[in-house]
Amino acid sequence: MNLAVEGLNAGYGKLNVLRDLSLSFAAGQFTAILGPNGSGKSTLLRSIFGLADVFSGSITLDGNPITDLNGAEIVSLGLACVPQRNNVFDELNVGENLQLATRRMDRRETARALEAAVELFPLVAKRRDQPACLLSGGERQMLAIAMGWLSRPTLMLLDEPSAGLAPNLVNDVFQTLLQLKDQGMTLVVVEQNARSALRHCDEVFILREGRLAFAGSAEACLQDEETIKSLLGTGNTGQTLPA
């Protein structure tokens, strides 16, 4: 599934956050969206998923425009979005959250999907009867990713999946994302932990003030400290960057 953004101007109300932004995401690739605070990273994901105001430009999925579609219609096309906050239902336990993600499946499909989820997300499986509100930060992120995966997407958007996590849990999250990529899923990940993102992704886009400041391979970007300093606003890619 190929996702393309062309000449996008988007934001909220009268606030224009993204300015003439053009970029594309190749099928089967793991792409990271980086940038300093206020650069428009999360707004880009929200625009793609129909949660921000698109003033002009286009967003297409395999050549078909999606800017006029609502969230449910976008999900039906094979796209899922895992937000940074409010991404699980605290009043339900883990198993009920997973069941809710399979609500469009019949009983047989649900059973197969949940069995596969247990294998792919063992940390979540161990907590099936635990209320979601009692999960650790890492467990919540795994549950949110599992719920997104259960919608059977071919492309998944994730907004800062490692935010607030201990270093060992950050690695767990990225290893899970690599497993999804190995299954053929296209991943677009907004991240504040630049070095972890660059170590795991294929391509990287860096936004600055709502515009595209850098596009290239993650490997090339990781080796270019001057790019990190000038475009991300930090001299240490090992530090967690602001959202």
Side-chain angles (χ1 to χ4, degrees):
M1 179 176 290
N2 294 292
L3 176 67
V5 173
E6 294 288 343
L8 183 65
N9 288 277
Y12 312 96
K14 295 182 179 181
L15 178 63
N16 191 9
V17 178
L18 302 177
R19 304 172 185 277
D20 238 3
L21 187 64
S22 295
L23 39 80
S24 60
F25 306 93
Q29 293 290 295
F30 183 165
T31 303
I33 309 294
L34 307 178
N37 193 23
S39 60
K41 305 184 300 295
S42 296
T43 299
L44 173 58
L45 294 196
R46 292 176 64 83
S47 299
I48 293 169
F49 208 68
L51 300 174
D53 299 321
V54 174
F55 306 130
S56 62
S58 67
I59 304 172
T60 58
L61 206 55
D62 286 339
N64 299 308
I66 62 172
T67 48
D68 293 330
L69 304 182
N70 60 40
E73 291 170 327
I74 292 172
V75 169
S76 71
L77 295 176
L79 193 151
C81 184
V82 180
Q84 181 186 357
R85 299 182 179 88
N86 302 319
N87 50 18
V88 302
F89 296 94
D90 284 341
E91 64 273 19
L92 304 178
N93 65 30
V94 170
E96 290 167 338
N97 270 277
L98 295 174
Q99 287 278 354
L100 190 61
T102 65
R103 61 190 180 279
R104 292 186 175 88
M105 303 178 189
D106 61 32
R107 184 176 299 180
R108 182 174 297 179
E109 289 177 310
T110 296
R112 286 199 298 262
L114 291 177
E115 183 178 349
V118 166
E119 293 182 8
L120 187 57
F121 304 95
L123 187 64
V124 171
K126 294 177 182 177
R127 302 286 188 268
R128 292 191 70 159
D129 296 324
Q130 184 169 324
C133 61
L134 299 181
L135 296 177
S136 69
E139 290 167 342
R140 286 179 67 91
Q141 284 294 358
M142 288 296 188
L143 175 56
I145 295 170
M147 292 173 67
W149 179 81
L150 282 168
S151 69
R152 296 178 171 178
T154 53
L155 190 154
M156 186 181 289
L157 311 173
L158 299 102
D159 194 358
E160 299 189 14
S162 76
L165 302 186
N168 62 314
L169 293 178
V170 171
N171 185 64
D172 289 344
V173 167
F174 276 106
Q175 289 302 316
T176 298
L177 295 181
L178 288 177
Q179 290 183 65
L180 298 185
K181 181 200 166 189
D182 288 343
Q183 293 180 353
M185 189 178 295
T186 305
L187 299 170
V188 178
V189 181
V190 162
E191 252 305 328
Q192 62 178 353
N193 191 321
R195 187 173 292 278
S196 290
L198 292 170
R199 283 174 173 168
H200 294 89
C201 71
D202 303 302
E203 302 291 328
V204 59
F205 295 123
I206 299 178
L207 303 188
R208 197 165 181 86
E209 297 180 354
R211 300 180 186 275
L212 182 62
F214 175 89
S217 73
E219 182 179 4
C221 187
L222 188 60
Q223 294 174 355
D224 185 356
E225 292 293 337
E226 290 306 312
T227 296
I228 298 296
K229 291 177 183 178
S230 63
L231 299 179
L232 298 182
T234 177
N236 183 357
T237 55
Q239 289 185 353
T240 296
L241 300 174

